[in-house]
Amino acid sequence: MRIRRIRIVATAALAAVALTLGACAEDTGGGTDTGDTGNAAGTIKEGLKVTFLPKQVNNPYFDTSDNKGGKPAVEEFKGQYAQTGPSEASPSAQVSYINTLSQQGTDVIIIAANDQDAVCGSLMEAKTAGAKIVTYDSDTKPECRDAFVNQATSEGIAQAQIKLISDAVGPEGGEIAILSATANATNQNAWIELMKTELAKPEYSKLTLVATVYGDDQDEKSFQEAQGLLSKYPNLKGIISPTTVGIAAAARYLSGSSYKGKVQLTGLGTPNQLREYVKDGTVKAFALWNPADLGYLAAYTGAALASGIITGKEGETFTAGKLGEYTVGANGEVLLGDPFEFNASNIDEFNF
């Protein structure tokens, strides 16, 4: 599989951010009462209250997606921006925040779900109270939200990860492991299952997945899990970490160990985060999307829903500011784009 390029907007606001990321239905009930049956003119209402509820606050990935992407978008359509959320990414930690936002009359709640089941009840109540619900980065059940802004297809991400680790390990193959985020993260689990499907293909027959471990999107725990993998599996040839906290921690461990250059590492990361590890040979290549664009698109999707421009039905279109026109897909999904591969030949072209 060739990993295609997506639109990467390296804005001035992104340029100063070195990320350690945590780093991805048709239901027309609920939602803000617009007082009409549609908005043929496609005009976004002014004054919309838009709140981002990430998996955890003070996480550079979500600081970028929300504050560097979502906030400028909300300011463009003259809404009221806010970000709130838990300090730790646990399954039920977001519930109380959803309830509070609902009570406050928030027009649009944009959430990266820590657990697709734990937040569903509260989201349904928020919809009944009049909020439009947009998930981003990590989805919930389709009936619990109005739209899902997907950073890339799960299939595309899984294919990219396996292709990258296969290329890095080489034709001889060997044992590989996955260092994930939390065990309940919807996006991570979807990617992992699809990576297993990808590994079953004949071209990857020499790769053997021996373990999946969880760093809980915590730097130190991810570092320790990477260390533990090498202790338990001394013949390990590669690690895939589809979480940017995890890949950075694993890169730091490998770079300072005797395994540098012997155990390959890939996953999802950012240029500023992994530049030194690409240049010192710890990481040959990795992939990602632009988190600021993800937050920007999520904000415009929520605004389009709250303004009656779209309802979340397949085939509807709307304009997302500088990103242009998007079409709602099946189950209310709005797709940002495809994964982008970063390597030694291009990493210095990007600064985020």
Side-chain angles (χ1 to χ4, degrees):
M1 174 199 175
R2 180 175 63 88
I3 304 171
R4 291 175 289 179
R5 293 176 178 268
I6 64 171
R7 289 168 289 192
I8 299 259
V9 182
T11 64
L14 275 172
V17 180
L19 298 178
T20 55
L21 286 69
C24 308
E26 183 175 337
D27 185 318
T28 58
T32 301
D33 182 4
T34 63
D36 54 32
T37 58
N39 184 349
T43 304
I44 293 176
K45 288 184 174 183
E46 292 187 13
L48 291 173
K49 296 178 181 178
V50 181
T51 298
F52 279 72
L53 178 52
K55 292 179 181 178
Q56 61 184 147
V57 294
N58 299 320
N59 179 314
Y61 173 81
F62 290 112
D63 284 345
T64 300
S65 64
D66 301 359
N67 298 326
K68 306 300 182 183
K71 184 178 181 181
V74 174
E75 290 174 345
E76 285 176 9
F77 55 72
K78 299 179 181 178
Q80 300 176 42
Y81 167 85
Q83 184 205 56
T84 189
S87 57
E88 293 188 4
S90 62
S92 61
Q94 295 170 309
V95 172
S96 63
Y97 293 93
I98 297 169
N99 294 338
T100 298
L101 292 174
S102 179
Q103 293 164 7
Q104 292 173 342
T106 304
D107 295 304
V108 180
I109 298 174
I110 301 175
I111 178 173
N114 277 322
D115 185 292
Q116 68 171 358
D117 297 312
V119 297
C120 240
S122 294
L123 290 178
M124 291 295 286
E125 291 178 6
K127 288 178 68 176
T128 301
K132 293 298 184 183
I133 309 298
V134 176
T135 53
Y136 72 123
D137 183 76
S138 184
D139 198 12
T140 185
K141 293 180 178 179
E143 63 267 25
C144 303
R145 44 73 169 168
D146 295 289
F148 169 44
V149 178
N150 196 354
Q151 55 268 40
T153 65
S154 293
E155 292 81 3
I157 291 171
Q159 290 167 5
Q161 300 293 276
I162 298 304
K163 176 68 163 57
L164 287 171
I165 198 65
S166 177
D167 289 347
V169 169
E172 296 302 315
E175 296 180 348
I176 63 171
I178 296 172
L179 170 58
S180 185
T182 64
N184 299 99
T186 311
N187 55 348
Q188 297 280 318
N189 290 336
W191 299 339
I192 290 169
E193 288 306 308
L194 287 166
M195 279 191 263
K196 291 177 181 177
T197 299
E198 194 71 9
L199 284 169
K201 294 181 177 179
E203 57 264 42
Y204 301 122
S205 62
K206 292 187 177 180
L207 292 175
T208 303
L209 179 64
V210 295
T212 299
V213 298
Y214 303 92
D216 293 340
D217 264 350
Q218 298 175 13
D219 177 76
E220 189 57 34
K221 189 171 190 299
S222 297
F223 184 97
Q224 292 170 354
E225 291 292 346
Q227 190 176 33
L229 281 172
L230 273 303
S231 176
K232 188 173 182 179
Y233 302 98
N235 295 321
L236 200 67
K237 297 298 182 182
I239 297 173
I240 300 170
S241 188
T243 160
T244 51
V245 172
I247 193 174
R252 194 171 76 253
Y253 169 68
L254 290 174
S255 181
S257 76
S258 60
Y259 297 105
K260 177 182 176 182
K262 299 176 183 177
V263 176
Q264 304 302 320
L265 174 66
T266 193
L268 302 177
T270 67
N272 288 355
Q273 175 192 36
L274 295 175
R275 182 174 285 105
E276 66 176 291
Y277 302 115
V278 169
K279 292 191 172 184
D280 74 6
T282 302
V283 177
K284 292 180 179 178
F286 62 96
L288 195 66
W289 50 90
N290 185 346
D293 283 353
L294 181 66
Y296 186 95
L297 179 56
Y300 267 98
T301 302
L305 285 162
S307 301
I309 299 170
I310 60 173
T311 64
K313 290 183 178 180
E314 184 175 1
E316 295 176 329
T317 61
F318 66 100
T319 300
K322 66 184 179 183
L323 295 182
E325 185 174 278
Y326 283 83
T327 301
V328 180
N331 294 318
E333 181 174 313
V334 178
L335 180 63
L336 175 63
D338 296 306
F340 179 89
E341 178 182 338
F342 299 93
N343 53 47
S345 71
N346 65 17
I347 196 166
D348 284 335
E349 298 174 19
F350 303 93
N351 188 16
F352 70 92

